[in-house]
Amino acid sequence: MAVLLGVAIAAAAGSSGVAAATATTQGGATGPSAEFSRALAGGNGVFIGSPIAVNLKRFGYLQREYAASGTATSYRSAAPLTGDGRWSFEPDAQAPYRTRVLVRRPADPARFSGTVVVEWLNVSGGVDADPEWATLHEEMLRQGDAWVGVSAQQIGVMGGPVLVRVDVPGAETAGKGIKAIDPKRYGSLDHPGDGFAFDIYTQVARAVRSGTRMGGLRVKRVIAGGESQSAFALVTYYNGVQPLTRAFDGFFVHSRGAVGLPLVGPGRYADIAGSITGTATTFRDDQDAPVMDVQSESDVTSVLSSYRARQPDTDRFRLWEVAGTAHADAHLIGSSGAAIDCGVPINNGPLHLVAKAGYHALTAWMEKGSAPPTAPRLDVTADMPPQLARDANGIALGGIRTPPVDVPVATLSGTPGPNPSTICLLLGSTAPFSDAQLRQLYPSRARYRDKYRADAEKAIKSGFVLAKDRAALLAFAEPSHIPG
């Protein structure tokens, strides 16, 4: 079944920069580095599905876009892919590539933290999208981190099948690829197929680590980031490619399914829809690079079934499952939510606040060696397949808790509304409580506010929401819903 995020389609303005490229041995095994041969300019400006507009200039950031080129290698597995993730990949074919790289970085090198997130751009909606940036950008900007988006997969550049159709303004571009969408800007690009995506991603990471096109920033840490289909890709990368390249210092994995992105031959697209029910795969446990895995409620037991790949926390792995959240939600899809009718209001949970805390914890883990807090798993039933256990109000039990689920005025859930569209399967739901329910829970608005504030402090003290996001968490309170 075709599931996975690919939301709003929007264009953002961009500009150009300067030259360079070489091989590097920093951060891992020696290997080729992408050549950022020239800045991409002209046409209609930067094209990317970015539902949340961010004024980068206000934060002292620049956006630059480049063509990244080289010769990439695909991989084959030397043995059947086992569920423990201890895979043995070996080189297969080679092919030239020329893809797009988008850089957002501090203009002043003195503001740079030393950390770069390299996001594997998501293509499930038929265009490159940056859901990890949308989720984490507030924390990246506060910290002075840089972000690099990579058009790693074929569909983003050349076009191809669309997994998640979203009827929003701009949807007519889905499946065309940026090469056809804006040939004046992107006409020189060429992608040899998803089998080469892993090495393209590696080569861009090596170039970034060496400082190529980073405006003089001294890069200390490179984090692999990806959401949904891109998170599937990071599972495969961590288990089969990272042991060969050691190209990344840490992995931020967001809303993975139970399997990895499959290896495919030249010119082919990775078939997530056809592989989603395959052998469940954990992250291998014999590598140094830490993994932070953040899962929404709907990722665990819905079509992604990530519960099948649950694994214990270790000194290199953390799994955070967040109650009352959905694979995509009102925050992630931004203004496009107004154009999507799922039959009920979509999920409005604070998943992004928990994700930012997870990202912050990952960077601290890498810098200082202080491991993130461990989190309880969501409770599942003994049914086959398992379902989430819920309270009398339909709110999931267990997992990471936030005030909107422990001091609720509505049932926040990963359960979708009645509209059968694929995008609605991902958006969850928000079901407001009746006045009678609210009166039973809260004798007054003041009592509701007090309970909400106390629960917010509990979430912050536990390390699952940042103190810097206290105001944002408190803003999710809805005292006006309490009958006067």
Side-chain angles (χ1 to χ4, degrees), residues 75-79 81 87-91 198 236-237 239-241 244 261 263 284:
Y75 294 97
R76 60 175 176 260
S77 179
L81 301 182
W87 299 347
S88 296
F89 284 4
E90 55 190 28
F198 301 101
T236 300
Y237 192 100
N239 288 343
V241 183
L244 304 176
L261 194 75
L263 300 177
R284 63 188 303 155

Side-chain angles (χ1 to χ4, degrees), residues 15 23 103 170 177 232 261 275 286 307 310 362 369 431 434 440 447 471:
S15 49
V103 178
F232 284 63
L261 194 75
S275 63
D286 60 348
Y307 77 89
R310 275 179 169 175
L362 174 63
S434 68
Q440 187 174 18
R447 179 59 178 149

Side-chain angles (χ1 to χ4, degrees), residues 315-478:
D315 61 354
R316 298 282 86 188
F317 176 79
R318 284 292 184 275
L319 172 60
W320 286 8
E321 296 176 347
V322 190
T325 59
H327 185 85
D329 56 25
H331 176 270
L332 186 58
I333 66 172
S335 60
S336 295
I340 301 172
D341 180 11
C342 293
V344 297
I346 64 176
N347 185 283
N348 189 33
L351 177 64
H352 63 292
L353 300 186
V354 178
K356 284 190 286 180
Y359 170 71
H360 182 91
L362 174 63
T363 59
W365 203 1
M366 294 162 57
E367 292 177 51
K368 304 170 186 176
S370 52
T374 58
R377 306 297 192 248
L378 287 166
D379 294 347
V380 296
T381 68
D383 300 324
M384 289 304 293
Q387 303 297 316
L388 290 178
R390 299 185 181 276
D391 67 15
N393 292 317
I395 295 173
L397 300 174
I400 291 176
R401 317 292 296 179
T402 58
V405 296
D406 280 345
V407 190
V409 297
T411 298
L412 289 174
S413 173
T415 302
N419 188 322
S421 71
T422 303
I423 185 62
C424 288
L425 288 176
L426 308 178
L427 292 174
S429 56
T430 300
F433 288 175
S434 68
D435 284 354
Q437 284 176 290
L438 293 169
R439 286 193 185 95
Q440 187 174 18
L441 289 169
Y442 313 109
S444 68
R445 291 178 181 177
R447 179 59 178 149
Y448 166 75
R449 288 191 189 98
D450 289 344
K451 291 183 71 174
Y452 191 99
R453 289 189 185 115
D455 202 72
E457 293 306 315
K458 179 180 176 182
I460 291 168
K461 185 176 180 181
S462 298
F464 299 128
V465 176
L466 297 172
K468 293 177 285 187
D469 285 324
R470 178 181 281 105
L473 183 58
L474 292 175
F476 275 86
E478 297 182 290

Side-chain angles (χ1 to χ4, degrees), residues 250-263:
F251 286 73
F252 188 85
V253 179
H254 175 187
S255 287
R256 64 160 293 190
V259 300
L261 194 75
L263 300 177

Side-chain angles (χ1 to χ4, degrees), residues 15-33:
S15 49
S16 57
V18 273
T22 84
T24 178
T25 57
Q26 293 176 294
T30 303
S33 178

Side-chain angles (χ1 to χ4, degrees), residues 80-337:
L81 301 182
T82 54
D84 62 4
R86 293 200 176 197
W87 299 347
S88 296
F89 284 4
E90 55 190 28
D92 194 5
Q94 287 193 325
Y97 71 90
R98 185 178 177 85
T99 194
R100 178 265 295 271
V101 171
L102 187 60
V103 178
R104 296 166 182 157
R105 60 172 176 81
D108 180 0
R111 279 210 55 215
F112 180 49
S113 66
T115 298
V116 181
V117 175
V118 180
E119 179 169 357
W120 182 303
L121 295 175
N122 183 284
V123 297
S124 296
V127 296
D128 281 334
D130 58 2
E132 212 64 277
W133 165 263
T135 300
L136 304 176
H137 70 272
E138 292 159 324
E139 178 61 10
M140 292 185 203
L141 294 170
R142 288 187 298 222
Q143 294 295 108
D145 300 341
W147 174 92
V148 174
V150 184
S151 293
Q153 287 181 254
Q154 184 176 9
I155 186 174
V157 177
M158 313 298 289
V162 181
L163 291 180
V164 182
R165 290 279 176 186
V166 187
D167 187 15
V168 297
E172 66 278 0
T173 60
K176 292 184 177 179
I178 55 175
K179 185 180 176 78
I181 291 169
D182 191 348
K184 288 185 178 179
R185 190 177 185 91
Y186 302 116
S188 68
L189 303 185
D190 190 45
H191 196 294
D194 285 354
F196 299 92
F198 301 101
D199 195 37
I200 291 172
Y201 191 57
T202 298
Q203 291 188 28
V204 170
R206 288 185 181 129
V208 167
R209 188 184 293 278
S210 70
T212 299
R213 297 288 197 170
M214 296 302 290
L217 304 186
R218 298 185 64 182
V219 178
K220 299 176 183 177
R221 293 166 294 277
V222 182
I223 296 174
E227 198 268 358
S228 193
Q229 181 171 177
S230 303
F232 284 63
L234 294 190
V235 172
T236 300
Y237 192 100
Y238 191 84
N239 288 343
V241 183
Q242 176 72 4
L244 304 176
T245 66
R246 301 193 303 281
F248 293 95
D249 304 300
F251 286 73
F252 188 85
V253 179
H254 175 187
S255 287
R256 64 160 293 190
V259 300
L261 194 75
L263 300 177
V264 295
R268 293 183 58 196
Y269 305 96
D271 180 16
I272 279 291
S275 63
I276 199 168
T277 59
T279 301
T281 302
T282 59
F283 290 97
R284 63 188 303 155
D285 59 4
D286 60 348
Q287 296 200 90
D288 292 332
V291 177
M292 169 59 73
D293 181 4
V294 177
Q295 298 292 110
S296 76
E297 173 187 311
S298 58
D299 300 327
V300 176
T301 58
S302 186
V303 283
L304 272 70
S305 301
S306 69
Y307 77 89
R308 297 196 295 124
R310 275 179 169 175
Q311 63 189 104
D313 287 345
T314 68
D315 61 354
R316 298 282 86 188
F317 176 79
R318 284 292 184 275
L319 172 60
W320 286 8
E321 296 176 347
V322 190
T325 59
H327 185 85
D329 56 25
H331 176 270
L332 186 58
I333 66 172
S335 60
S336 295

